[in-house]
């Protein structure tokens, strides 16, 4: 991002860290499809076309090494050494999760209806604990939220953006997820709420025993 001149006032090193986590699903590395998603997100972040970001990356070609980089690597890896504009970078895993969760937040909309039915469905899908990515995928699929504008891959990315890299999400993060789903599929949050509330809970379709 730095050498391809994508960074600036609208996209800092901290923003790059947050964006990387949102597409990596909490993993230390990303594959090609996730990098493509990252390019689209960078374009949206800096207010440019994806094609412009593509051209910048293609023109860069590869890393430009400028002598011994030992100190720079140490500075990058040890967040406690950050100063100036980077001093607010999360220094622990907990801090990072909190920062990512805040970055993924969406403001409450005026169209929202009562959340009671949605919360009941959330509890039914999540079970005794908070909701994991598998339960989240199942809810989105069974509540008929998935389609051309919202795929299983989109659901994974969205889950990571509201979980802050954690394996499960609590109720407030799920509310944020509903708002983000509505924005993603071009519907009102109230419509997503109604779909989830109407679903009620997981529908198991396993083999049933014959009546005795």
């Amino acid at each position: 991002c730095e050498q391809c001149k994508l960074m600036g006032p609208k996209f800092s090193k901290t923003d790059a860290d947050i964006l990387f986590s949102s597409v990596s699903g909490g993993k230390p590395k990303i594959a090609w499809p996730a990098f493509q998603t990252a390019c689209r997100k960078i374009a949206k972040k800096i207010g440019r076309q994806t094609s412009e970001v593509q051209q910048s990356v293609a023109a860069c070609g590869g890393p430009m090494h400028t002598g011994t980089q030992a100190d720079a690597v140490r500075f990058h890896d040890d967040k406690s050494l950050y100063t100036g504009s980077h001093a607010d970078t999360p220094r622990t895993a907990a801090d990072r999760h909190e920062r990512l969760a805040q970055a993924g937040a969406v403001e409450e909309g005026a169209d929202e209806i009562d959340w009671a039915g949605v919360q009941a469905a959330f509890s039914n899908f999540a079970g005794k604990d908070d909701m994991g990515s598998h339960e989240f995928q199942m809810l989105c699929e069974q509540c008929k939220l998935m389609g051309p504008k919202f795929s299983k891959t989109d659901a994974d990315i969205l889950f990571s953006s509201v979980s802050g890299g954690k394996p499960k999400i609590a109720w407030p993060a799920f509310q944020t997820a509903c708002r983000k789903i509505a924005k993603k599929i071009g519907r009102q949050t109230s419509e997503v709420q109604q779909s989830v509330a109407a679903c009620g809970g997981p529908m198991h379709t396993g083999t049933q025993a014959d009546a005795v």
Side-chain angles (χ1 to χ4, degrees):
C1 290
E2 191 170 8
Q3 293 189 3
C4 293
K5 295 181 173 57
L6 297 174
M7 288 184 170
K10 294 182 179 180
F11 188 58
S12 66
K13 287 186 177 181
T14 300
D15 293 324
D17 275 340
I18 293 172
L19 189 147
F20 181 90
S21 294
S22 75
V23 299
S24 70
K27 295 179 181 179
K29 292 187 177 183
I30 58 174
W32 169 241
F35 180 72
Q36 290 178 292
T37 299
C39 288
R40 298 183 187 106
K41 283 175 166 274
I42 291 170
K44 185 176 181 180
K45 176 72 176 175
I46 63 179
R48 291 163 60 184
Q49 297 293 318
T50 302
S51 58
E52 294 179 83
V53 172
Q54 289 176 284
Q55 289 168 358
S56 295
V57 174
C60 185
M64 294 177 285
H65 301 290
T66 55
T68 303
Q69 297 292 316
D71 290 342
V73 171
R74 178 169 177 264
F75 183 83
H76 179 272
D77 292 342
D78 187 355
K79 299 294 191 290
S80 66
L81 299 180
Y82 276 24
T83 59
S85 63
H86 306 299
D88 63 343
T89 301
R91 300 187 181 187
T92 67
D95 290 341
R96 186 176 182 82
H97 292 327
E98 179 68 20
R99 180 65 174 269
L100 289 171
Q102 291 176 355
V106 176
E107 291 185 3
E108 180 179 345
D111 67 295
E112 294 178 16
I113 58 177
D114 184 75
W115 286 89
V118 183
Q119 188 168 18
F122 169 83
S123 298
N124 289 335
F125 275 96
K128 295 181 179 179
D129 300 321
D130 292 334
M131 181 175 285
S133 59
H134 174 72
E135 291 79 21
F136 181 73
Q137 284 261 11
M138 184 190 301
L139 181 147
C140 291
E141 192 167 8
Q142 293 190 1
C143 294
K144 296 180 172 55
L145 297 174
M146 288 185 171
K149 295 182 179 180
F150 188 58
S151 65
K152 289 186 176 182
T153 301
D154 292 325
D156 275 338
I157 294 171
L158 191 148
F159 182 89
S160 295
S161 75
V162 299
S163 70
K166 295 180 181 179
K168 293 191 175 185
I169 58 173
W171 167 240
F174 181 73
Q175 289 178 289
T176 298
C178 288
R179 297 178 184 119
K180 290 172 82 79
I181 291 171
K183 185 176 181 180
K184 174 71 177 174
I185 64 180
R187 290 164 59 185
Q188 296 292 319
T189 301
S190 58
E191 294 180 83
V192 173
Q193 288 177 280
Q194 290 168 352
S195 295
V196 175
C199 186
M203 295 175 285
H204 300 290
T205 57
T207 303
Q208 294 183 348
D210 292 333
V212 177

